[in-house]
Amino acid sequence: MKVLNTCYKLGILHVTVYAFSIENFNRSKEEVDTLFSLLRDRLKFISEKEESYARFNSIRIKIIGNRTMIPSDILKDLEDIEERTKNVSSAKVLNVCFPYTSRDDIVHSIQSIASQVELKEIESNEHITLETLTNNMYMGPNTPPLDILIRTSGHTRLSDFMLWQCNYNCMIEFVDTLWPNFRAWDIMSIIMKWSYYRTLQLEQQRIMSNKKTDNQKLSTDILKELPPHPPFASITQH
Ligand SMILES: CC(C)=CCC/C(C)=C/CC/C(C)=C/COP(=O)(O)OP(=O)(O)O
């Protein structure tokens, strides 16, 4: 909640967490059963304690992923939370990926498009476009672009998370911190870093559009005009 609140306070209204991957079903039955029973307890707690629920009340919670894989009692509780938070007045969204993998998301998107049109129309290719694929992902249409993807725990792999959404400008940040130790400051330092690089990028674009000189001179000019490296860079390098 602290990380989430920091994001919302800094104006990041869409936050997505990878709660459980489809691959996680391959862990031992004992581990999967334990995780699901933890989830059952937690869901019961959220539903029973109005006070706890109220903390979530201004946040729209969406379940992103393959619902056919969720046990029916858990799915019912999750959809109940989705329903109760669907019309919240604020624009804050928490996407919970459960159970999810990007490749399943992409297959689901294509299947969803195929179910909407005749097979012979699909053959003409006009229905499979960047836009239709994006709009039919589990996140649904009108989802803002992904700006920052953070992988905790020191692993430098994405474990099949948001591959489609990692577009040209997305910053991917790998941190050594384990998720239970991840604090508001960790998210703040990453956002400051992103904000610096984004400013840099926009500044480069501005300078490029203002200058009509040769490329060699252009890169020297840009270097001279850019702001100095931020003091917080050393903090993000553990
Ligand atoms: C109550 C509840 C549902 C708890 C879920 C806890 C849990 C298993 C979280 C996993 C989160 C996740 C999908 C991490 C991806 O990396 P990974 O470590 O799974 O990927 P890897 O296989 O690439 O290491």
Side-chain angles (χ1 to χ4, degrees):
M1 283 308 290
K2 282 183 187 156
V3 170
L4 205 53
N5 284 333
T6 306
C7 289
Y8 295 137
K9 275 188 194 144
L10 292 172
I12 295 160
L13 299 178
H14 285 247
V15 180
T16 302
V17 292
Y18 203 5
F20 197 84
S21 77
I22 291 174
E23 298 291 324
N24 289 152
F25 280 113
N26 295 328
R27 294 189 182 184
S28 72
K29 182 174 176 330
E30 193 188 0
E31 184 179 342
V32 174
D33 288 349
T34 307
L35 290 170
F36 276 56
S37 76
L38 274 174
L39 181 60
R40 278 191 181 91
D41 286 352
R42 188 69 203 171
L43 284 167
K44 203 159 167 272
F45 175 78
I46 292 171
S47 308
E48 280 172 5
K49 306 261 175 183
E50 282 302 318
E51 179 207 330
S52 157
Y53 179 69
R55 283 195 291 146
F56 286 90
N57 218 12
S58 62
I59 302 169
R60 178 170 183 191
I61 298 175
K62 288 167 74 178
I63 308 303
I64 306 298
N66 195 328
R67 295 178 189 222
T68 63
M69 296 176 170
I70 306 178
S72 58
D73 59 324
I74 293 181
L75 182 62
K76 188 188 160 298
D77 285 347
L78 291 175
E79 289 185 338
D80 192 35
I81 290 172
E82 262 191 329
E83 187 60 29
R84 281 194 279 168
T85 61
K86 141 174 124 181
N87 295 320
V88 292
S89 53
S90 81
K92 297 177 208 162
V93 177
L94 172 64
N95 295 310
V96 181
C97 292
F98 177 87
Y100 175 91
T101 56
S102 285
R103 297 196 304 167
D104 179 65
D105 197 4
I106 294 165
V107 170
H108 161 264
S109 176
I110 296 169
Q111 286 174 344
S112 168
I113 297 167
S115 70
Q116 294 160 39
V117 290
E118 297 278 336
L119 195 60
K120 61 179 181 315
E121 289 179 65
I122 287 221
E123 280 164 7
S124 74
N125 276 344
E126 71 197 53
H127 292 281
I128 309 283
T129 63
L130 282 175
E131 199 187 352
T132 59
L133 271 170
T134 305
N135 288 343
N136 283 279
M137 294 280 161
Y138 287 123
M139 294 266 191
N142 308 319
T143 308
L146 180 63
D147 291 316
I148 309 174
L149 188 148
I150 303 166
R151 170 73 203 227
T152 53
S153 81
H155 291 301
T156 47
R157 57 174 181 259
L158 297 181
S159 302
D160 211 341
F161 186 50
M162 311 278 279
L163 303 182
W164 178 265
Q165 289 80 2
C166 281
N167 64 16
Y168 206 81
N169 284 320
C170 175
M171 180 177 101
I172 303 176
E173 192 68 9
F174 295 100
V175 293
D176 290 337
T177 319
L178 299 174
W179 171 246
N181 298 328
F182 198 78
R183 297 282 177 267
W185 171 248
D186 294 292
I187 192 83
M188 271 168 71
S189 65
I190 291 171
I191 291 165
M192 284 161 77
K193 185 174 170 186
W194 174 83
S195 149
Y196 173 77
Y197 286 114
R198 188 80 187 112
T199 313
L200 214 67
Q201 203 180 30
L202 293 173
E203 189 64 1
Q204 273 175 350
Q205 283 165 8
R206 188 187 65 77
I207 297 169
M208 297 278 266
S209 64
N210 286 346
K211 291 188 195 287
K212 299 273 180 284
T213 51
D214 66 276
N215 278 347
Q216 189 66 39
K217 182 162 182 306
L218 196 60
S219 51
T220 326
D221 286 350
I222 288 173
L223 280 178
K224 267 193 259 158
E225 288 190 37
L226 289 177
H229 209 269
F232 50 82
S234 57
I235 294 165
T236 59
Q237 285 157 11
H238 300 281

